[in-house]
């Protein structure tokens, strides 16, 4: 006998089994009663409902949050539009219904077929968007022939509207239908998104999508045999998204766009103390409204063909050689590393001989004897060649990175370019070639492999102007509910790390500031054109070569073709003593920083400080 | 030595009942996937029949082994299942938002299904040892709590809250069956009444919302509530005699979610009406009562316990699934035993049936059987 098996002698366990059997009977009786109720008592009603599968879900799109500038000026709005939907199952026979629809409305039947093909899938009772944004005549035509068009319906839905068209288009971005692949890629799982939903595709629309989007709602409705709603059973109202109030000042944005009209390039304006962006322009611009209803082939090809790069937001994605604006970095590195000090001078005869090569200064006649302040103010290349030669590329890269170059600024717009602060190791990995000493020289004047974005230069300039603190650029002041009440705390990213500062002592920073002040105000400064009556402006010009200087210089007498003209930079802050505005301007192929970029910066500074006021 | 009486006492009637329910399942599945343009591939029922075959093999294997071996083997089986659950979390296959499946060669298995049975085994072994008419004390409940808690946490991590709760419910059923000491039971009830509102107040808004929707699908008219409405229309429209199993289905196919798994009963009810549906419910009732009768006639506590345990598994799955499709229960992914499509689920419930048959065929063999030493 097995010791561990005990016999159940007592009846108590058996009593409990009997109890369990009684409970099972009761539970199954409940199922049977429910079944009787559904099938026999209410059976006829359910049979009626089943005859034409008539309970449907209709999705209600949420009202996407509006976008305002810092003064409450409306930039992005929603406007009602009429959309035509079809439910394939209700529309049977579908080809006949579509043909009739085309006949009644005059819409090209091929377009209807295409929409059907593209959006089909996921059940024949799901409404398919056939045509968005039809006019009132079309709606009237459909209503008149309503009983001839089973399964066809017209819905009034909000459509995104960019109030100022092409203005601020790169900044604001645009929205579009979510792609099948995008749904899975979202970090928050599906987030309630389904195929056909509109989401931000670029710019602010994308960056703030989760705040702007809102939550979709829907209705359970009963439909008639012709696909019309007979009654609404239940409704879940969609929750509108939050409105965003940007840091942008639209007046300044508009002014900057006006000044950049006809030019390629970018303008970044920000508040140096806070990093709040006041304007962000990429030129030329496109009209985001064309994206909303899906882009026509023709429009798309025109956009791609634009020689200036229409879709790229050059202010954050454009990578340009920083040119002479980089001399700020070289000066900081030279002073901090002890390669030069405030008394160090160099003689500039207009060129510098390095080995058997000759590096030219931009001023053929030379600058004579210069120190660091006058080298900055006159942008003397020869002085900085010598600083760069002594520093070497890796030291300059270290300072460039510490100043915020070669890495994203942390603005929360997608696809921000990093720029490039090259090192010897980088070159070896990239090209397989070791770093040559001669390459240190162009690096020191912001050429060579150096690349920065206009935003990065704006941030560096702001840091110089406000005493060394590197601001983190921000775009959003606050979010508001649809009723205008503020939403929770403002979205200023919480930084675990302490705010970064320029790697420079107060004394040396004062030298840089002095140099930049003289660029505009000194007797031989390179940007005297940027002076503003009554306001002291400090800045730095730059002339970014598109091709090597020697090649162009061979035939200086002849005019240089436009696409080989150098890019013009100007970065500035004002007022010099306590800056309230920083401007970074690049004009592609604008030749000289002082010629084209400088006046734009001057106009903006003057407009902001004199006309708009604080 | 193989005892001839095992064949003599083999419970053919019970096997026939199981096969009859399975046949009804295959028929419905055929109706669900072959007739209408549903989402499921049309030849799913071949796969399902293959799974029944695999289930029958398991069934035979389980019947061959004297169930008292399960007493000795309870912990090894339990540990293998826990190991598989851990493996699922690390290398499991992802699908539908959770990691539930483990790829074993060409097959994918869902270890959480097997875990239910393993939990029944370990609890039965333990309760058989501490059995007392006065009921279990708080101290005696510590070990079961740990034994259930481990797989519960592992399955919640997948995350598959439905199956995790199922294991909890099965364990609770078995525990209440062996009776909890009155004082302890009172303590549990009081703790529950006090901590319930406390936990509720600590939950975040969306968590509360999720629980409320779980309890009342009408709160989510666009998701679960909509599915239930469609299911009720399907069932109700079957009326007294039904539309015919291959006639009515077409209508509802694209409206019922997972019509070949969780909502298979709706397909049957629409086609076969009240008469056919009642027949299925009666068949399930007979199955459950039969299972309890086998428990009743078993003479050793472990045998009684595992019979009650596997019957509880079947009972709750039937209740929750049929209750859900008729709008009586929360919406939760729960297959209908022997009917819903799904390999691991079929094999698991076949093993449950096999455990009952195993105990049943050995009800007269005791002291003279030398199979277990």
């Amino acid at each position: 006998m097995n010791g561990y098996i005990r016999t159940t002698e007592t009846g108590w366990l058996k009593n409990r089994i009997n109890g369990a059997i009684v409970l099972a009977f009761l539970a199954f009786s409940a199922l049977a009663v429910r079944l009787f109720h559904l099938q026999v008592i209410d059976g006829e009603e359910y049979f009626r409902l089943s005859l034409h599968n008539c309970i449907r879900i209709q999705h209600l799109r949420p009202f996407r949050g509006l976008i305002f500038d810092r003064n409450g000026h409306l930039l992005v709005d929603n406007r009602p539009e009429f959309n035509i939907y079809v439910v394939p199952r209700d529309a049977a026979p579908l080809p006949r219904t579509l043909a009739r629809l085309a006949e009644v409305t005059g819409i090209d039947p091929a377009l209807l077929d295409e929409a059907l093909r593209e959006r089909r899938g996921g059940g024949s009772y799901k409404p398919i968007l056939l045509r968005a944004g039809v006019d009132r005549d079309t709606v009237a035509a459909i209503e008149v022939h309503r009983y001839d068009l089973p399964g066809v319906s017209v819905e009034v839905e909000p459509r995104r509207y960019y109030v100022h068209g092409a203005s601020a288009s790169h900044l604001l971005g645009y929205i579009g239908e979510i792609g099948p692949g995008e749904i899975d890629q979202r970090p928050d799982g599906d987030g309630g998104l389904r195929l056909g939903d509109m989401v931000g595709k670029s710019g602010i629309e994308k960056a703030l999508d989760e705040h702007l989007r809102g939550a979709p709602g829907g209705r359970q409705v009963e439909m008639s045999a012709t696909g019309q709603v007979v009654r609404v059973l239940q409704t879940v109202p969609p929750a509108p998204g939050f409105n965003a109030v940007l840091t942008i000042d639209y007046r300044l944005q508009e002014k900057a766009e006006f000044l950049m009209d006809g030019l390629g390039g970018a303008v970044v304006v920000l508040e140096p103390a806070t990093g709040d962006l006041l304007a962000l322009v990429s030129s030329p611009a496109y009209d985001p409204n064309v994206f909303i209803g899906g882009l026509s082939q023709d429009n798309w090809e025109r956009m791609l063909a634009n020689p200036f790069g229409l879709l790229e937001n050059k202010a954050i994605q454009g990578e340009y050689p920083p040119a002479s604006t980089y001399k700020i970095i070289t000066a900081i590195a030279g002073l901090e590393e002890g390669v030069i000090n405030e008394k160090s001078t160099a003689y500039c005869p207009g060129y510098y001989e390095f080995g058997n090569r000759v590096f030219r200064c931009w001023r053929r006649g030379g600058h004579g004897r210069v120190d660091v302040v006058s080298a900055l103010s006159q942008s003397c290349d020869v002085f900085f060649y010598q600083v760069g030669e002594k520093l070497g590329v890796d030291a300059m890269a270290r300072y460039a990175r510490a100043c915020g170059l070669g890495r994203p600024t942390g603005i929360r717009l997608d696809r921000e370019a990093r720029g490039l602060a090259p090192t010897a190791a980088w070159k070896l990995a990239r090209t397989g070639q070791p770093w040559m000493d001669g390459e240190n020289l162009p690096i020191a004047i912001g050429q060579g492999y150096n690349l920065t974005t206009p935003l990065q230069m704006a941030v560096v300039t702001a840091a110089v102007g406000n005493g060394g603190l590197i601001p983190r650029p921000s775009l959003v002041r606050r979010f508001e509910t649809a009723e205008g009440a503020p939403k929770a705390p403002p979205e200023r990213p919480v930084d675990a790390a302490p705010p970064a500062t320029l790697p420079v002592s107060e004394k040396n920073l004062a030298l840089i500031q002095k140099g930049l002040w003289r660029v505009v105000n000194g007797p031989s400064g390179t940007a005297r054109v940027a002076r503003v009556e009554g306001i002291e402006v400090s800045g730095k010009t730059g002339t970014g070569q598109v091709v090597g200087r020697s090649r162009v210089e061979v035939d200086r007498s002849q005019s240089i073709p436009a696409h080989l003209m150098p890019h013009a930079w100007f970065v500035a802050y004002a007022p010099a003593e306590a800056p309230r505005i920083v401007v970074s301007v690049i004009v592609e192929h604008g030749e000289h920083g002082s010629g084209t970029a400088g006046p734009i910066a001057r106009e903006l500074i003057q407009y902001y400080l004199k006309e708009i006021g604080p | 030595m193989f005892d001839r009486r095992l064949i003599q006492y083999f419970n053919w009637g019970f096997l026939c009942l199981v096969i009859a329910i399975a046949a009804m399942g295959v028929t419905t599945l055929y109706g669900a996937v072959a007739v209408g343009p549903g989402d499921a591939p049309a030849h799913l029922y071949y796969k399902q029949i293959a799974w029944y075959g695999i289930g029958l093999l398991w069934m035979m294997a389980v019947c061959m082994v004297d169930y008292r071996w399960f007493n000795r083997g309870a912990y090894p089986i339990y540990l293998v299942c826990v190991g598989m659950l851990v493996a699922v979390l690390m290398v499991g296959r992802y699908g539908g938002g959770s990691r539930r499946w483990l790829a074993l060669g060409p097959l994918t298995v869902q270890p959480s299904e097997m875990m239910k049975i393993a939990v029944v085994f370990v609890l039965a072994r333990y309760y058989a040892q501490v059995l007392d008419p006065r009921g279990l004390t708080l101290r005696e409940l510590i070990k079961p709590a740990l034994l259930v808690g481990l797989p519960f946490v592992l399955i919640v991590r997948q995350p598959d809250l439905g199956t995790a709760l199922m294991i909890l419910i099965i364990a609770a059923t078995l525990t209440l069956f062996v009776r909890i000491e009155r004082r302890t039971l009172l303590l549990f009830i009081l703790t529950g009444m006090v901590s319930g509102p406390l936990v509720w107040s600590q939950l975040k808004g969306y968590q509360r919302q999720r629980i409320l929707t779980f309890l009342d699908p009408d709160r989510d008219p666009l998701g679960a509530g909509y599915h239930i409405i469609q299911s009720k229309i399907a069932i109700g429209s079957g009326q007294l005699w039904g539309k015919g199993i291959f006639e009515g289905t077409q209508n509802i196919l694209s409206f019922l979610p997972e019509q070949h798994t969780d909502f298979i009963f709706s397909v049957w009810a629409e086609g076969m009406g009240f008469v056919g549906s009642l027949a299925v419910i009666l068949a399930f009732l007979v199955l459950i009562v039969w299972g309890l009768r086998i428990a009743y006639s078993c003479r050793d506590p472990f045998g009684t316990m595992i019979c009650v345990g596997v019957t509880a598994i079947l009972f709750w799955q039937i209740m929750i699934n049929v209750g859900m499709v008729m709008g009586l229960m929360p919406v939760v992914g729960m297959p209908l035993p022997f009917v819903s499509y799904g390999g691991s689920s079929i094999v698991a419930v076949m093993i449950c049936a096999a455990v009952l048959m195993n105990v049943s065929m050995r009800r007269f063999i005791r002291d003279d059987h030398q199979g277990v030493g």
Side-chain angles (χ1 to χ4, degrees):
Chain A
M1 160 119 198
N2 304 297
Y4 63 89
I5 289 181
R6 294 195 315 185
T7 315
T8 27
E9 287 117 4
T10 50
W12 72 274
L13 208 53
K14 298 210 186 276
N15 284 339
R16 289 188 81 78
I17 294 177
N18 283 332
I21 290 176
V22 172
L23 288 178
F25 263 106
L26 288 177
F28 276 86
S29 304
L31 292 186
V33 168
R34 176 67 168 182
L35 195 65
F36 183 77
H37 205 275
L38 283 178
Q39 296 194 296
V40 181
I41 297 178
D42 292 340
E44 258 177 80
E45 168 70 5
Y46 283 121
F47 185 73
R48 190 185 67 73
L49 288 173
S50 80
L51 277 181
H52 176 71
N53 325 310
C54 50
I55 307 290
R56 292 293 158 71
I57 297 282
Q58 291 186 332
H59 295 288
L60 300 176
R61 280 193 191 165
F63 208 67
R64 194 174 170 88
L66 308 178
I67 302 177
F68 298 94
D69 87 337
R70 59 163 50 210
N71 302 310
H73 179 81
L74 184 61
L75 300 177
V76 183
D77 194 5
N78 298 310
R79 294 195 164 178
E81 70 168 351
F82 298 107
N83 298 332
I84 307 178
Y85 284 92
V86 68
V87 177
R89 184 164 290 218
D90 294 336
L94 192 56
R96 201 199 68 84
T97 307
L98 288 189
R100 188 85 183 102
L101 180 65
E103 193 183 311
V104 165
T105 59
I107 299 170
D108 182 359
L111 287 177
L112 296 179
D113 284 341
E114 193 188 313
L116 197 65
R117 237 190 356 265
E118 272 177 16
R119 301 202 171 90
R120 200 159 188 169
S124 53
Y125 58 94
K126 293 205 171 119
I128 295 170
L129 177 64
L130 281 182
R131 196 108 179 102
V134 298
D135 56 25
R136 282 173 193 280
D137 292 343
T138 311
V139 175
I142 291 173
E143 288 301 320
V144 166
H145 296 90
R146 185 171 152 160
Y147 289 96
D148 214 10
L149 297 168
V152 175
S153 64
V154 178
E155 305 291 333
V156 184
E157 289 174 320
R159 175 197 171 103
R160 206 65 166 158
Y161 179 66
Y162 298 92
V163 177
H164 296 286
S167 177
S169 54
H170 294 97
L171 174 66
L172 297 172
Y174 54 91
I175 62 170
E177 260 183 55
I178 190 166
E182 268 176 290
I183 293 182
D184 304 331
Q185 286 170 12
R186 302 252 154 185
D188 51 346
D190 64 350
L193 287 170
R194 67 183 82 240
L195 229 55
D197 278 352
M198 302 297 264
V199 293
K201 293 278 190 181
S202 81
I204 291 208
E205 292 275 27
K206 181 168 184 180
L208 306 182
D209 192 55
E210 58 175 311
H211 304 282
L212 296 170
R213 196 164 67 218
R219 289 188 297 221
Q220 243 186 45
V221 297
E222 190 184 329
M223 311 283 276
S224 72
T226 50
Q228 314 296 325
V229 173
V230 178
R231 63 186 164 133
V232 176
L233 300 175
Q234 295 206 60
T235 306
V236 174
F242 292 102
N243 296 340
V245 178
L246 304 183
T247 59
I248 297 295
D249 189 319
Y250 185 69
R251 294 170 292 181
L252 203 59
Q253 174 83 18
E254 202 177 21
K255 179 85 174 175
E257 283 167 4
F258 170 75
L259 295 167
M260 288 296 286
D261 191 34
L263 302 171
V267 177
V268 175
V269 186
L270 53 77
E271 229 174 50
T274 56
D276 283 356
L277 282 152
L278 297 169
L280 193 96
V281 177
S282 178
S283 185
Y286 60 88
D287 185 351
N289 288 309
V290 303
F291 283 92
I292 302 309
L295 201 56
S296 74
Q297 190 68 20
D298 186 40
N299 256 334
W300 181 243
E301 276 165 11
R302 266 217 315 272
M303 285 197 161
L304 287 183
N306 191 301
F308 287 108
L310 204 50
L311 295 175
E312 184 187 50
N313 184 354
K314 292 169 183 164
I316 61 163
Q317 293 160 8
E319 292 178 308
Y320 304 92
S324 298
T325 60
Y326 188 86
K327 287 172 184 165
I328 296 171
I329 310 288
T330 313
I332 289 175
L335 288 165
E336 290 297 314
E337 290 293 296
V339 168
I340 50 170
N341 61 34
E342 57 190 292
K343 297 193 183 73
S344 315
T345 57
Y347 182 78
C348 169
Y351 59 89
Y352 181 65
E353 283 178 38
F354 181 84
N356 55 357
R357 292 178 62 187
V358 173
F359 287 85
R360 293 197 170 278
C361 186
W362 69 270
R363 188 171 189 173
R364 306 196 92 192
H367 291 96
R369 191 150 289 279
V370 289
D371 61 4
V372 63
V373 172
S374 52
L376 273 173
S377 69
Q378 300 175 36
S379 205
C380 173
D381 292 336
V382 169
F383 181 88
F384 287 103
Y385 286 145
Q386 295 181 28
V387 176
E389 183 190 348
K390 288 175 194 144
L391 280 169
V393 65
D394 288 348
M396 285 187 280
R398 206 165 64 239
Y399 278 88
R401 291 186 66 85
C403 290
L405 302 184
R407 60 188 165 94
T409 62
I411 190 173
R412 294 199 303 162
L413 290 174
D414 65 319
R415 294 197 298 260
E416 186 191 359
R418 311 174 62 87
L420 178 63
T423 60
W426 171 85
K427 188 195 171 195
L428 189 63
R430 185 62 184 267
T431 66
Q433 304 289 322
W435 191 265
M436 315 291 278
D437 284 344
E439 290 176 296
N440 291 332
L441 276 56
I443 292 295
I445 62 158
Q447 307 285 357
Y449 297 108
N450 274 319
L451 290 173
T452 58
T453 66
L455 179 63
Q456 283 174 331
M457 284 321 298
V459 169
V460 171
T461 309
V464 171
N466 67 20
L469 206 67
I470 300 174
R472 183 178 192 154
S474 60
L475 271 167
V476 185
R477 268 196 144 177
R478 62 176 182 274
F479 291 102
E480 292 176 346
T481 64
E483 291 79 31
K487 176 205 178 189
E491 286 292 308
R492 209 170 278 278
V494 192
D495 241 351
T501 51
L502 291 178
V504 62
S505 69
E506 223 169 286
K507 180 171 138 268
N508 288 338
L509 183 60
L511 289 175
I512 308 285
Q513 289 170 336
K514 193 171 170 189
L516 298 196
W517 182 84
R518 283 213 204 149
V519 167
V520 181
N521 304 292
S524 51
T526 53
R528 290 178 56 80
V529 64
R531 277 171 302 169
V532 176
E533 177 79 35
I535 296 166
E536 297 207 330
V537 178
S538 296
K540 184 75 198 79
T541 52
T543 306
Q545 287 161 12
V546 178
V547 291
R549 186 169 288 175
S550 52
R551 261 184 61 198
V552 178
E553 231 152 347
V554 172
D555 40 14
R556 196 123 207 197
S557 51
Q558 287 151 32
S559 68
I560 303 163
H563 68 277
L564 294 181
M565 296 263 276
H567 298 324
W569 274 101
F570 190 65
V571 295
Y573 60 86
E577 283 310 306
R580 299 211 321 265
I581 178 173
V582 165
V583 182
S584 165
V585 180
I586 184 160
V587 177
E588 290 175 352
H589 314 294
E591 190 149 25
H592 290 302
S594 55
T596 47
I600 291 174
R602 177 193 67 213
E603 289 297 311
L604 289 172
I605 291 167
Q606 179 164 332
Y607 182 65
Y608 185 69
L609 293 180
K610 285 195 162 170
E611 291 180 44
I612 294 180
Chain B
M1 190 188 107
F2 196 77
D3 198 321
R4 281 208 351 254
R5 279 181 297 177
L6 287 180
I7 303 206
Q8 189 186 333
Y9 291 124
F10 189 79
N11 201 334
W12 293 104
F14 192 82
L15 182 64
C16 287
L17 178 63
V18 167
I19 289 174
I21 296 174
M24 166 256 164
V26 176
T27 313
T28 321
L29 189 66
Y30 183 84
V33 299
V35 179
D39 297 331
H43 295 288
L44 221 54
Y45 50 92
Y46 286 131
K47 268 176 104 173
Q48 178 78 336
I49 290 169
W51 276 112
Y52 282 126
I54 294 173
L56 278 174
L57 288 178
W58 271 92
M59 207 173 201
M60 279 166 58
V62 170
C63 280
M64 303 274 250
V65 183
D66 190 312
Y67 66 86
R68 282 167 291 191
W69 277 103
F70 299 145
N71 195 345
R72 304 196 121 195
Y75 283 102
I77 293 172
Y78 177 84
L79 287 176
V80 167
C81 286
V82 166
M84 289 207 291
L85 284 180
V86 172
V88 162
L89 286 181
M90 295 191 305
V91 296
R93 225 187 59 196
Y94 215 73
S98 69
R99 243 179 231 285
R100 299 183 187 179
W101 295 272
L102 206 56
L104 293 178
L107 301 176
T108 53
V109 297
Q110 197 180 336
S112 52
E113 288 287 343
M114 302 300 159
M115 195 70 232
K116 296 176 189 168
I117 300 170
V119 164
V120 165
F121 284 174
V122 288
L123 287 186
R125 179 188 162 97
Y126 176 73
Y127 289 151
Q129 285 163 4
V130 300
L131 202 59
D132 189 297
R134 278 164 303 181
L136 302 163
T137 60
L138 195 56
R139 272 174 71 97
E140 285 168 334
L141 282 171
I142 293 172
K143 197 171 170 189
L146 294 176
L147 287 173
V148 175
L150 178 62
F152 179 82
V153 169
L154 288 174
I155 295 172
V156 163
R157 292 282 300 275
Q158 290 182 357
D160 181 2
L161 195 61
T163 309
L165 284 176
M166 190 66 194
I167 284 189
L168 218 56
I169 290 172
I170 291 163
T173 308
L174 199 55
T175 308
L176 286 172
F177 173 76
V178 297
R179 185 178 270 164
I180 298 174
E181 198 190 29
R182 181 162 300 166
R183 265 192 354 213
T184 313
L185 191 61
L186 224 62
L187 184 73
F188 279 150
I189 294 172
L190 279 175
T191 324
M193 278 163 61
V194 172
S195 65
L198 208 71
V199 171
W200 184 254
S201 68
Q202 292 300 309
L203 290 179
K204 297 203 172 74
Y206 74 93
Q207 288 171 322
R208 286 185 202 175
Q209 202 56 43
R210 207 173 281 177
I211 291 174
L212 287 175
T213 306
F214 174 76
L215 295 176
D216 177 14
D218 277 349
R219 282 173 169 271
D220 180 19
L222 309 179
Y226 177 70
H227 293 158
I228 291 307
I229 280 243
Q230 294 297 349
S231 172
K232 277 157 77 176
I233 291 175
I235 295 171
S237 68
Q239 293 181 279
L240 190 60
W241 298 105
K243 302 173 180 174
I245 185 68
F246 304 135
E247 310 294 325
T249 46
Q250 183 140 1
N251 251 345
I252 60 160
L253 276 183
S254 41
F255 287 94
L256 281 180
E258 310 182 51
Q259 71 271 16
H260 56 290
T261 57
D262 293 350
F263 284 83
I264 191 103
F265 184 80
S266 315
V267 178
W268 172 265
E270 187 190 28
M272 300 303 284
F274 180 67
V275 176
S277 311
L278 193 64
V280 170
I281 288 187
L282 279 176
F284 277 127
L285 175 61
V286 170
L287 184 85
I288 296 300
V289 172
W290 205 328
L292 290 172
R293 290 294 304 173
I294 292 170
Y296 189 93
S297 58
C298 178
R299 295 185 202 182
D300 75 89
F302 177 75
T304 307
M305 297 293 165
I306 54 173
C307 286
V308 171
V310 295
T311 307
I313 294 177
L314 297 175
F315 172 80
W316 283 114
Q317 291 198 16
I318 295 164
M319 275 299 153
I320 292 174
N321 179 280
V322 178
M324 171 190 74
V325 300
M326 294 198 299
L328 283 177
M329 286 269 184
V331 176
V332 58
M334 181 67 67
L336 186 60
F338 307 108
V339 180
S340 286
Y341 175 78
S344 295
S345 150
I346 290 288
V347 172
V349 294
M350 296 284 261
I351 290 175
C352 287
V355 168
L356 291 172
M357 283 157 58
N358 188 333
V359 174
S360 165
M361 65 204 255
R362 291 184 173 82
R363 62 192 184 274
F364 300 116
I365 311 166
R366 242 176 58 232
D367 307 345
D368 53 343
H369 180 59
Q370 298 301 311
V372 178

